Amino acid sequence: MKKSTVIGICGFFGAALILLAGCRSDQFYHSRAADEAREFLLKNSPDLTADQVCFVRYNDPVLLKGEGLGDPKELGGWQTSKSYIRQICVAWEIPGRDDIYMVCGFSEERMQYWKPNRLIRKKFQRKAQAQDEMLSSARKYLLNNLTADLTTEEINRVRFTYPVLAETDFEVNFNTDLKMDAEKAAQSKAAAEKKRQYSLLWTIGDRSVVFAGYSSPELGGWSILFAGMLPTDEVTQHTLHVVKNPENFNTSLIQEIK
């Protein structure tokens, strides 16, 4: 595949059938292709865990697009000009997997005739290792400590979707294990507050799941000092600014594929 561009698909699932001047929208074809890619990936990936299967089922993919080479009949079995052929891979970066899972096929830009051709698993340079570690830490903490306090919807939202990453100013307990004396707790607080407080936030209606800790601006060394449910209004009051939204939280896919 030649140089191509990673293109995020927002609102990829649940797309309605829209008629515009008698034609189906591009979003309809993209959504249909994603559904076919998802089923193809799961059929050919028996090594995925139950959680990883759920991640693929309920999370948006990205599209990797490149120039398609070859005879149109051989590539997709449909008639079009060679200049319009694109190799389009519907891809997921699955938590716990080092490879990017890419379901590749050929079609024109709208993906009207796209069909899965093969599954490729490939490692790419990761650019969000610290964010990956934050997310993994939050999900482990959730399963070990919070399942009794959250609804099934809230648990699944944390397990299978990306959060808001924000700089915050929540009041946190620096003596979480209650083993430090007052002087050491004060020293720990002073050391942490020289850094910045970052939180992972999942909002479900009027409640939000919050995981807060301190780190450098590069997010290294972040650990959870507070975790639990808070009213969404209170979370908004303590949010200084949003660093990443869910749709761009996962930025470890490199921007150009060669």
Side-chain angles (χ1 to χ4, degrees):
M1 189 191 299
K2 294 188 177 181
K3 180 184 289 186
S4 49
T5 303
V6 175
I7 301 177
I9 308 175
C10 298
F12 205 66
F13 304 110
L17 175 59
I18 302 173
L19 298 181
L20 181 61
C23 297
R24 284 173 168 150
S25 70
D26 291 356
Q27 189 176 24
F28 170 84
Y29 296 120
H30 289 175
S31 181
R32 184 175 66 183
D35 288 341
E36 293 189 24
R38 184 177 292 105
E39 295 307 316
F40 188 88
L41 186 157
L42 295 178
K43 180 180 178 181
N44 291 280
S45 303
D47 55 319
L48 296 181
T49 67
D51 283 354
Q52 290 166 342
V53 169
C54 287
F55 181 87
V56 173
R57 287 202 179 278
Y58 302 116
N59 281 271
D60 295 355
V62 296
L63 297 185
L64 308 180
K65 296 186 178 183
E67 181 181 350
L69 302 175
D71 189 302
K73 293 181 180 179
E74 295 177 357
L75 294 176
W78 40 270
Q79 295 287 342
T80 187
S81 168
K82 288 185 180 181
S83 62
Y84 290 108
I85 297 173
R86 303 281 282 167
Q87 182 176 10
I88 304 176
C89 297
V90 184
W92 283 266
E93 185 176 22
I94 303 173
R97 295 284 166 172
D98 293 331
D99 295 336
I100 306 298
Y101 283 61
M102 304 183 297
V103 181
C104 299
F106 295 87
S107 78
E108 86 306 351
E109 191 75 24
R110 299 183 69 198
M111 300 184 75
Q112 182 175 359
Y113 300 103
W114 187 93
K115 292 293 181 183
N117 179 272
R118 59 177 174 158
L119 173 65
I120 297 175
R121 294 170 52 174
K122 183 174 180 179
K123 290 183 176 66
F124 294 105
Q125 177 185 353
R126 302 183 66 82
K127 292 188 175 181
Q129 188 65 41
Q131 290 166 226
D132 293 343
E133 292 174 356
M134 292 174 70
L135 192 57
S136 176
S137 177
R139 286 170 171 162
K140 288 179 181 177
Y141 191 100
L142 167 88
L143 295 177
N144 291 332
N145 301 283
L146 298 180
T147 53
D149 301 323
L150 305 181
T151 67
T152 300
E153 179 187 0
E154 290 164 346
I155 292 170
N156 287 338
R157 187 73 67 87
V158 175
R159 291 176 68 195
F160 303 128
T161 67
Y162 292 114
V164 168
L165 171 61
E167 187 175 351
T168 54
D169 62 357
F170 295 108
E171 186 69 29
V172 299
N173 178 16
F174 291 89
N175 191 7
T176 54
D177 57 7
L178 302 179
K179 294 180 180 180
M180 290 188 289
D181 58 31
E183 182 179 355
K184 288 185 178 180
Q187 291 173 351
S188 176
K189 179 178 180 179
E193 289 181 342
K194 291 180 181 179
K195 302 178 181 180
R196 298 181 185 179
Q197 185 187 113
Y198 292 98
S199 295
L200 301 181
L201 311 171
W202 283 266
T203 298
I204 304 97
D206 59 358
R207 297 192 346 148
S208 294
V209 188
V210 178
F211 298 87
Y214 285 83
S215 76
S216 66
E218 294 75 31
L219 306 177
W222 183 88
S223 62
I224 298 171
L225 290 173
F226 169 80
M229 295 296 302
L230 290 175
T232 297
D233 289 346
E234 182 177 345
V235 171
T236 301
Q237 292 172 8
H238 288 279
T239 299
L240 302 180
H241 75 271
V242 172
V243 179
K244 286 187 177 294
N245 287 303
E247 57 267 23
N248 65 4
F249 181 91
N250 180 16
T251 56
S252 57
L253 277 174
I254 61 174
Q255 295 304 304
E256 292 185 337
I257 312 299
K258 294 184 178 180

